[in-house]
Amino acid sequence: MVKNVLRPRYYSSELGIREKIFIGVMTSQENINSYATAFNRTTAHLVNKIKFFINADSVKTNYQLKNIVGFTDTRESRRPFYVIKYIADNYLDEYDYFLLVPDNVYVDARKLNALLYHMSITFDLYMGGIRVAQGETGDGHGNGNGKGDGNVGNGNGEDENAAPVERDESMNDSGAAGVSDRNYCDLDAGILLSSSVIRKMRNNLDRCVRIGITNDHSVNIGRCVKYASRVAGCQESFQGMRQYSYALNTKSRQYKDLSILAKEPAFLNATTVYPVQSPEDFYRLHAYYSKHHLDMVRQRGYALEQKSYRIANGSISNKILEIRWPLGVPPPSAPETRHDMLTWQLLNETHSMLPNANSDHAVAPLSRIEALDFAKVLEITLQYAAQKYPKLRYESLHSAYRKFDATRGMDYQLHLNLYEGGSDVAKRRRVLLKSFEVVKPLGRVEVVPSPYVTESTRIAILVPAFEHQVPDALDFVAQYERICMHNQDNTFLLLIFLYRLESPSKGDDDPFKSLKKLALDLSSKYKTDGSRIAWVSIRLPEQLSTEPVHPEDWLMHASMYGPRQLLSLAVADLALPKLGLESLVLLATPSMLFRTDFLNRVRMNTIQGFQVYAPIGFQLYPCNWAHFCKECDTCDISQSSGYFDRQNQDVIAFYSRDYVQARKLLDPLGLPIMRSDLDIDQLLLATSKPRTSKIESILDMFVAAQHTVHILRAVEPHLRFGLDVRNHLARGGSLPPTLPQSCGGQHCIHLASRKQIGDAIIRYEDKSILQK
């Protein structure tokens, strides 16, 4: 029997990938709000993890720092071993290196990270500056032991109060007492340990505690490392890399004058600087080293730029380097298929030809932003032309093209008419055509922060229906039961009945009687699951009720509201009071087909106070009526079965509070809020006002309100339209013979693709030729 292999959740766990550095700071309760806070502010954002270790005999609770660990055992000699045990128990398998320092050491974290990324983690590491025992002195100039401006004694290099050098009685390999060479790393400058050394120290921690009997932490840690890992001593260098530490001469005032210290190479190369005398000195050192690193980055950037220019000038063949123009900008994206090719768009200073590859409009004026952008590009091109051709003068723009590449930016091709300037009249009017290419590369790419959302939010689905759309609404409710109620999806359906002025709303003559009965039956059936269907009735005004609307009258419109898309605002205004301000609302149509994935995308893309989601559904061709294609209900998205209809804006998802705020912004501008059925007449009159004449849907309303929420429009393959046409034909209905009379020639649904219509025309012409 084959057992299932349980794999870790993350690749890093399975591959053993760890973070680089953990810093453990040994501090005290008195220094938490001073030295430790300064250490944290200058280092924590540059390393992977940092912890502060204190003796917690009387732990306070008002510390600003949160990454504090306290030990109840206050014996100072055992303090480093508690730190080692805590690190080994909690972070041994998460980090490669561990740095132990006191709280009065400044750590140049950028330099430390660069050092560690050049060393192999497969070896034991015990690195730092060699400890200077009592009576010993540093050389004062940052020598091989990494010290600089150390504890300077008298003129003979000896301290007047120096004590004799102590001998370290430790255990050798055989267990007998021996004399150590005392080459321990100095904790005052920081001790860098690899994870393998920490592991070996934890395995021999009991023995380390017995031999670590002094109050000198450097000696206790050094003895433990020697006994556990058999490392010969403190490693000043490893694999060609060296960690420098700089000891400040605190007896002199010059230790605060960074301009003097900067002249010493030992100070510039130092990873740790100690001892820092005040918290303010942490910030002073951090500002200096940050500026130093910034200068180094600028120098490297300038060197790379100069190297690129030398390569571009022919020092290395472009065929070998495959250099693209301009330097530093990604090359144009290669299309995977012929459908992915990016086309060039012809334009001039005022208009663009075939905008958005849309053949419905051959010419469109440039927007204000586009016109300013093109004017700026033309200005820069003329400046370059004047520099490259000083004898030529600009006459006019011959032609211009542009192409947008999402991986590169905006490319322009400009062809300019230039003439030669001079005293000769004939030469002055001779026009030359010069071509230029301009690139506007993408700026810095940033991730837009977005609030956290889940797929468990309850959706209130609003489905309006006119009297002639009752059969389609019945099919929608059946679909809703199958997808949402049966699967206990967290949704709520609110049907909105749009009555004509004289239609009865009760009794057998009620046009929505069958819908009401079905809603009550399903609500009773799924009562235990908490899923129900409710309805709201709206009475249309007289001007929308004088002439009856037949089912085929509005079928060819891209909107379910026919020529009255503005009614969607009245539907939302009168239905939202039934839901509340915190509801996630999906305004739908009775003729749409959807799946559960679509509802989940509504939940993820609709964010309260941040984003409104307006999906672009897929419109199915009326194949059985037009006979240009073959009808298929289960087919995937393809050019032969339909198209994504950008004109249909009936389906939109938003939060009630965002909708109400946007409506309040437009109310003073002449788009009144509907509070009852009698106010619909005022809404229809708003189309004659200049400020609101272009508002035809809820999406237009959000755009015109200039609300703080974003508007997301995206194609949605699991949202499909066109079922009303198919169902109407299946019931034996007919459609108007011509489309312009049915929908005024605007916002009509398409009958077929251009290829399908072209094939039909060719077949018709061939048939005519054969008949002749």
Side-chain angles (χ1 to χ4, degrees):
M1 181 177 178
V2 180
K3 296 183 178 179
N4 294 330
V5 179
L6 298 178
R7 301 189 62 181
R9 182 176 182 181
Y10 302 105
Y11 290 135
S12 59
S13 302
E14 184 171 5
L15 299 177
I17 300 174
R18 294 176 289 194
E19 300 289 349
K20 188 56 65 176
I21 182 65
F22 175 99
I23 296 183
V25 184
M26 300 176 64
T27 182
S28 62
Q29 297 186 50
E30 294 77 14
N31 293 344
I32 284 293
N33 293 328
S34 55
Y35 284 90
T37 300
F39 192 107
N40 186 73
R41 289 178 177 175
T42 56
T43 308
H45 61 288
L46 299 173
V47 297
N48 303 118
K49 191 73 174 180
I50 187 171
K51 285 285 185 180
F52 296 89
F53 300 95
I54 63 174
N55 290 330
D57 52 346
S58 58
V59 179
K60 301 178 182 179
T61 59
N62 58 347
Y63 292 139
Q64 296 179 356
L65 292 179
K66 302 302 180 184
N67 48 350
I68 301 176
V69 179
F71 303 124
T72 55
D73 192 342
T74 59
R75 285 175 287 184
E76 191 64 24
S77 61
R78 297 195 176 184
R79 189 179 178 189
F81 304 116
Y82 281 118
V83 174
I84 296 297
K85 185 177 186 305
Y86 177 85
I87 290 175
D89 292 343
N90 297 278
Y91 300 105
L92 184 60
D93 296 329
E94 299 181 19
Y95 300 92
D96 288 335
Y97 298 99
F98 299 85
L99 178 66
L100 302 181
V101 291
D103 59 6
N104 63 343
V105 176
Y106 172 76
V107 178
D108 187 354
R110 296 184 179 92
K111 198 175 299 176
L112 178 62
N113 284 321
L115 172 73
L116 297 181
Y117 275 101
H118 286 82
M119 295 192 301
S120 173
I121 192 56
T122 57
F123 300 94
D124 292 343
L125 182 68
Y126 172 51
M127 177 177 278
I130 294 182
R131 174 179 174 273
V132 179
Q134 185 178 3
E136 298 178 5
T137 64
D139 59 6
H141 298 287
N143 57 3
N145 60 12
K147 302 269 186 173
D149 282 345
N151 299 323
V152 181
N154 57 18
N156 297 326
E158 298 179 356
D159 195 345
E160 296 177 355
N161 298 323
V165 177
E166 297 180 358
R167 302 172 66 84
D168 179 19
E169 299 292 336
S170 61
M171 302 298 295
N172 56 23
D173 294 344
S174 61
V179 179
S180 172
D181 55 359
R182 296 302 302 270
N183 56 341
Y184 299 143
C185 292
D186 189 3
L187 181 63
D188 292 338
I191 299 177
L192 187 62
L193 301 169
S194 64
S195 58
S196 58
V197 172
I198 295 288
R199 180 176 285 103
K200 293 175 181 179
M201 293 174 69
R202 181 187 61 179
N203 296 337
N204 298 273
L205 204 56
D206 293 338
R207 178 62 181 169
C208 291
V209 171
R210 288 198 296 270
I211 63 177
I213 57 176
T214 71
N215 288 330
D216 192 334
H217 296 325
S218 303
V219 174
N220 293 340
I221 295 174
R223 288 177 178 176
C224 184
V225 171
K226 281 190 175 182
Y227 176 81
S229 65
R230 308 303 181 188
V231 176
C234 184
Q235 299 163 309
E236 296 182 86
S237 63
F238 184 73
Q239 296 180 345
M241 306 304 298
R242 191 165 196 153
Q243 177 193 355
Y244 292 92
S245 58
Y246 188 88
L248 295 170
N249 185 1
T250 56
K251 297 179 181 179
S252 171
R253 294 292 300 175
Q254 292 183 351
Y255 81 94
K256 288 191 176 184
D257 192 346
L258 299 182
S259 61
I260 297 178
L261 296 180
K263 298 178 181 179
E264 302 184 32
F267 179 76
L268 293 177
N269 297 328
T271 305
T272 58
V273 178
Y274 71 98
V276 179
Q277 296 298 306
S278 65
E280 291 74 16
D281 290 342
F282 273 97
Y283 305 117
R284 188 178 294 108
L285 289 169
H286 186 67
Y288 171 78
Y289 279 107
S290 297
K291 182 179 182 299
H292 174 68
H293 286 295
L294 180 59
D295 293 338
M296 296 296 293
V297 170
R298 288 174 175 171
Q299 293 177 10
R300 288 194 294 268
Y302 178 77
L304 288 174
E305 184 179 2
Q306 296 302 315
K307 185 177 180 180
S308 300
Y309 287 140
R310 290 195 299 270
I311 292 175
N313 289 334
S315 60
I316 300 179
S317 175
N318 287 349
K319 295 182 179 179
I320 299 176
L321 297 176
E322 296 183 357
I323 292 180
R324 301 292 196 275
W325 181 88
L327 293 175
V329 177
S333 59
E336 296 183 0
T337 65
R338 62 185 179 88
H339 302 290
D340 300 327
M341 293 183 63
L342 300 176
T343 58
W344 290 90
Q345 183 183 18
L346 176 64
L347 70 158
N348 55 28
E349 298 182 50
T350 57
H351 290 76
S352 61
M353 319 305 168
L354 296 178
N356 300 321
N358 187 359
S359 61
D360 296 340
H361 299 85
V363 181
L366 296 177
S367 65
R368 184 181 65 87
I369 299 299
E370 292 175 332
L372 292 175
D373 181 71
F374 184 77
K376 185 66 176 178
V377 170
L378 181 60
E379 178 185 355
I380 295 175
T381 305
L382 293 178
Q383 292 176 1
Y384 178 80
Q387 180 182 0
K388 188 173 181 62
Y389 306 106
K391 296 182 179 181
L392 299 181
R393 300 292 182 265
Y394 172 69
E395 181 179 76
S396 62
L397 175 68
H398 180 274
S399 59
Y401 298 86
R402 70 178 177 184
K403 179 183 68 174
F404 177 72
D405 191 334
T407 63
R408 173 180 170 91
M410 186 72 79
D411 288 275
Y412 286 90
Q413 289 184 359
L414 277 70
H415 309 286
L416 305 180
N417 290 322
L418 306 177
Y419 66 90
E420 294 182 356
S423 58
D424 192 346
V425 178
K427 287 185 178 181
R428 187 167 53 214
R429 298 313 306 165
R430 189 174 65 178
V431 177
L432 301 176
L433 181 64
K434 297 292 183 180
S435 299
F436 302 88
E437 186 173 355
V438 183
V439 179
K440 287 188 62 179
L442 294 175
R444 181 182 178 183
V445 179
E446 299 181 0
V447 178
V448 179
S450 177
Y452 176 74
V453 293
T454 65
E455 294 183 352
S456 60
T457 308
R458 184 179 180 88
I459 301 179
I461 304 178
L462 275 59
V463 180
F466 292 91
E467 295 180 7
H468 67 278
Q469 295 173 340
V470 170
D472 297 328
L474 289 172
D475 293 338
F476 181 89
V477 173
Q479 177 188 196
Y480 175 77
E481 178 197 7
R482 183 177 66 257
I483 296 176
C484 299
M485 303 182 77
H486 182 71
N487 296 324
Q488 298 184 10
D489 200 347
N490 192 15
T491 57
F492 165 68
L493 179 60
L494 180 63
L495 299 173
I496 303 171
F497 301 145
L498 300 174
Y499 283 94
R500 297 173 61 202
L501 187 61
E502 69 281 0
S503 297
S505 59
K506 296 180 181 180
D508 295 336
D509 296 332
D510 185 356
F512 296 101
K513 178 183 178 181
S514 57
L515 268 176
K516 294 180 180 179
K517 183 179 184 303
L518 180 60
L520 292 175
D521 293 342
L522 292 179
S523 298
S524 177
K525 178 180 178 181
Y526 296 95
K527 183 178 180 180
T528 57
D529 298 333
S531 182
R532 67 188 184 92
I533 302 176
W535 66 78
V536 175
S537 298
I538 297 177
R539 186 72 64 175
L540 296 175
E542 183 178 359
Q543 59 173 311
L544 298 179
S545 305
T546 54
E547 297 181 2
V549 178
H550 298 288
E552 65 273 7
D553 290 346
W554 286 0
L555 284 179
M556 308 312 294
H557 282 268
S559 173
M560 66 157 287
Y561 304 97
R564 301 288 187 176
Q565 293 189 55
L566 202 60
L567 284 176
S568 60
L569 290 172
V571 169
D573 287 351
L574 298 176
L576 288 185
K578 309 293 182 181
L579 302 175
L581 293 178
E582 306 300 325
S583 299
L584 170 57
V585 179
L586 172 63
L587 187 60
T589 63
S591 61
M592 77 180 200
L593 176 65
F594 68 95
R595 297 182 184 178
T596 306
D597 293 343
F598 166 64
L599 297 180
N600 290 333
R601 272 190 282 273
V602 168
R603 294 184 177 99
M604 299 301 293
N605 293 325
T606 311
I607 307 171
Q608 185 172 8
F610 184 81
Q611 186 166 278
V612 172
Y613 180 47
I616 302 175
F618 188 76
Q619 179 73 43
L620 300 170
Y621 290 134
C623 300
N624 286 348
W625 179 66
H627 302 292
F628 290 120
C629 55
K630 294 182 180 180
E631 186 173 298
C632 180
D633 294 331
T634 60
C635 294
D636 295 333
I637 298 297
S638 66
Q639 290 182 343
S640 60
S641 60
Y643 63 98
F644 286 102
D645 190 0
R646 290 179 296 179
Q647 302 295 338
N648 192 328
Q649 302 175 3
D650 294 341
V651 179
I652 185 171
F654 51 84
Y655 274 86
S656 300
R657 186 180 298 277
D658 296 333
Y659 177 87
V660 171
Q661 291 176 354
R663 291 290 278 122
K664 289 181 178 179
L665 293 175
L666 290 179
D667 191 14
L669 301 180
L671 196 68
I673 299 176
M674 303 293 97
R675 292 179 172 83
S676 67
D677 301 347
L678 302 177
D679 298 332
I680 298 179
D681 283 330
Q682 301 178 9
L683 180 65
L684 299 178
L685 293 176
T687 56
S688 60
K689 300 179 181 180
R691 291 187 176 182
T692 58
S693 59
K694 295 183 179 181
I695 299 177
E696 297 181 353
S697 63
I698 295 179
L699 179 61
D700 296 337
M701 184 272 299
F702 274 107
V703 174
Q706 298 182 354
H707 196 248
T708 56
V709 297
H710 303 272
I711 299 175
L712 174 63
R713 291 221 76 190
V715 294
E716 178 53 63
H718 290 166
L719 173 63
R720 303 190 182 186
F721 303 116
L723 293 182
D724 50 350
V725 180
R726 293 188 176 186
N727 295 335
H728 177 71
L729 295 175
R731 301 185 193 107
S734 61
L735 295 179
T738 55
L739 293 183
Q741 284 78 8
S742 63
C743 58
Q746 297 180 352
H747 305 311
C748 297
I749 65 173
H750 297 173
L751 300 181
S753 65
R754 299 174 188 173
K755 179 180 182 300
Q756 291 168 339
I757 296 176
D759 291 342
I761 293 174
I762 292 174
R763 289 196 303 269
Y764 177 79
E765 291 180 350
D766 290 344
K767 184 177 179 181
S768 300
I769 293 173
L770 291 176
Q771 289 177 354
K772 292 180 180 179

